[in-house]
Structures are given as C-alpha cells and as structure tokens.
C-alpha cells in the first residue's frame, strides 16, 4: 500500500477520534518543505541523521495538526531526551511508521491518559513471545485455521495496543520517566467486556497494578494497525 492511501485512510478516522474528544494529525515525511517550527526544533533536527530528521519533523507537524483539530494552536515542540515537551494546556502522543507520522491530542479540559501507536509493518506470529505471556495467547487467531477464518487479534494489533497503553500509563517523576516493568510483557491485554466498541475494544493494564488500566481502540490499516487510548478502564474493563 502506498503512502497516499494510508495517509488518506488515517485522516478519514478523524471523526471517530473526535467522538472520543480527541484530535488526530497525520503527516508524511515526503511532504515538501519540512521545516522546523522554531530554534529548538531546528537544533534537535540538526543533530539527527537525515531519515530520523524527517521522521522527527513529520511527527511535530502531526502533533500540531492534532492540536489544531481540538482548537489549540501550538508553535514549536522541543524535546527533553526523546520526549516531546508541550506548552501548558497542550498534550499529544506521537508515533511513526514507514514514513508516516500520526499524533493524537486531547481536547481542552479532557483530563485522560493519551497514547497512540502506528504499526504498518506486520509482525510475524513468532514475535508473539516477545509481546505476550501465556495468559494472552488465546487472543491470537487459531494457527490451524486459514487466514481470516476467525476473529482473533494479530500480533501486530496486540503489540500496537500495548504500545499505546505503555505511553498512556507512563508517568513523569522527579527521577525521570516511570513506566511498566519487563517491557510490553509487563502489561496484560484482554478483550473489553462492556460491548461498546465491538471487535476493536481492548483493555490493557499493568500486571503489577491491575487497577491502572486503559481502554484501547485498534483500527486495521492495511496489513498493520493504528491504536489509541480512549480512556481509563474500570477494575474489570
């Protein structure tokens, strides 16, 4: 699938996110004139290899577009380490994959966790052991059935859901970034039980603290997936 159809498909998801009080922004590294929005962005971009520089600038453009979608203007977005630093009252989550950047922003007054992830390169089933534990493997399609014969979740979709949740469940402390332990296996993913979102609803929690949980929506994009956190989850999803 080429870049343009993927970008168009992602942009078309804007109303779906808007219904959840979220703004969506999409940008491609191939867009003409990818200029930094200010000196801090320029300094950060100048220190990067060419490909990473284009991804970085595309991510910043996507974040500004996501913020504009919820009525918020934003100039340059500097960084602390690898994390974007937003002005007060503005926040967004950024993800990149194969030359496309996507961002999700919260509407003013929406005090809920944010996280999104875009995965356009499908992961093989063998990668499941790096993402899931035994109590999550039942979510995968039955390996004995032909493709599309059952409604299981692909490794890519589950990986993406956990990546989104990781961002939403990570907090900044005085000592730095504090997130789930044991990589993505420190999170547990399960189907949501409230029926609101049909097949695209997942609940992801910290294994060490199951009460810290979020609801994640997953949308298939070609052979890959786009996921984003839509809010906190209750004790039982």
């Amino acid at each position: 699938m080429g870049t343009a159809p993927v970008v168009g498909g992602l942009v078309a998801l804007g109303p779906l996110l808007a219904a959840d009080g979220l703004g969506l922004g999409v940008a491609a590294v191939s867009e003409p004139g990818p200029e930094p929005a200010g000196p801090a962005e320029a300094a950060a971009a100048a220190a990067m290899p060419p490909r990473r520089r284009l991804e970085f600038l595309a991510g910043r453009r996507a974040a500004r577009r996501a913020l504009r979608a919820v009525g918020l203007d934003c100039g340059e977005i500097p960084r602390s380490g690898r994390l974007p630093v937003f002005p007060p009252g503005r926040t967004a989550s950024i993800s990149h994959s194969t030359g496309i950047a996507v961002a999700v922003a919260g509407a003013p007054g929406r005090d809920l966790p944010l996280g999104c992830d875009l995965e356009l390169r499908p992961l093989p089933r063998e990668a499941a052991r790096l993402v899931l534990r035994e109590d999550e493997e039942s979510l995968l399609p039955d390996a004995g059935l032909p493709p599309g014969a059952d409604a299981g979740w692909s490794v890519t979709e589950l990986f993406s859901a956990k990546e989104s949740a990781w961002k939403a469940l990570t907090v900044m402390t005085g000592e730095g970034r504090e997130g789930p332990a044991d990589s993505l296996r420190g999170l547990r993913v399960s189907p949501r039980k409230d029926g609101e979102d049909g097949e695209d609803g997942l609940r992801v929690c910290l294994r060490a603290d199951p009460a810290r949980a979020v609801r994640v929506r997953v949308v298939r994009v070609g052979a890959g997936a786009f996921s984003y956190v839509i809010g906190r989850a209750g004790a039982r999803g």
Side-chain angles (χ1 to χ4, degrees), residues 1-3 5-10 13 98 100 118-123 154 156-157 218-226:
M1 182 181 292
T3 298
V6 174
V7 169
L10 289 168
L13 297 175
T98 65
I100 297 173
L118 179 64
E119 301 293 336
L120 297 178
R121 292 190 181 97
L123 296 172
S154 71
T156 307
E157 290 167 331
V218 180
V219 180
R220 292 179 181 175
V221 181
F226 169 56

Side-chain angles (χ1 to χ4, degrees), residues 29-211:
V29 299
S30 58
E31 292 178 20
E35 298 297 328
E41 283 189 15
M48 299 175 180
R51 181 173 178 178
R52 173 65 186 125
R53 182 183 307 126
L54 291 173
E55 291 178 343
F56 170 79
L57 294 174
R60 267 33 185 191
R61 291 197 303 277
R64 282 187 282 274
R65 290 168 183 172
L67 287 162
R68 282 200 297 271
V70 293
L72 297 172
D73 291 327
C74 184
E76 70 169 343
I77 304 169
R79 64 176 186 164
S80 175
R82 294 180 59 87
L83 298 178
V85 178
F86 294 94
R90 292 155 177 78
T91 185
S93 176
I94 304 170
S95 184
H96 313 82
S97 183
T98 65
I100 297 173
V102 65
V104 170
R110 186 185 188 274
D111 184 23
L112 291 173
L114 280 179
C116 74
D117 181 71
L118 179 64
E119 301 293 336
L120 297 178
R121 292 190 181 97
L123 296 172
R125 189 183 178 95
E126 292 73 24
R129 61 186 178 83
L130 304 176
V131 181
L132 308 174
R133 294 195 185 185
E134 289 185 2
D135 59 355
E136 299 167 306
E137 292 180 359
S138 62
L139 294 172
L140 294 169
D142 189 327
L145 294 176
D150 67 354
W153 298 82
S154 71
V155 177
T156 307
E157 290 167 331
L158 297 174
F159 174 86
S160 184
K162 284 195 172 189
E163 281 283 339
S164 293
W166 176 287
K167 296 175 182 178
L169 293 169
T170 295
V171 297
M172 293 301 295
T173 68
E175 289 72 40
R177 191 172 185 175
E178 180 180 293
D182 190 30
S183 67
L184 294 183
R185 287 164 54 87
L187 297 171
R188 185 175 188 274
V189 59
S190 58
R192 288 178 57 191
K193 297 180 173 61
D194 56 14
E196 290 181 5
D197 299 307
E199 293 184 358
D200 64 354
L202 288 170
R203 178 183 188 273
V204 185
C205 69
L206 291 177
R207 287 184 178 274
D209 185 3

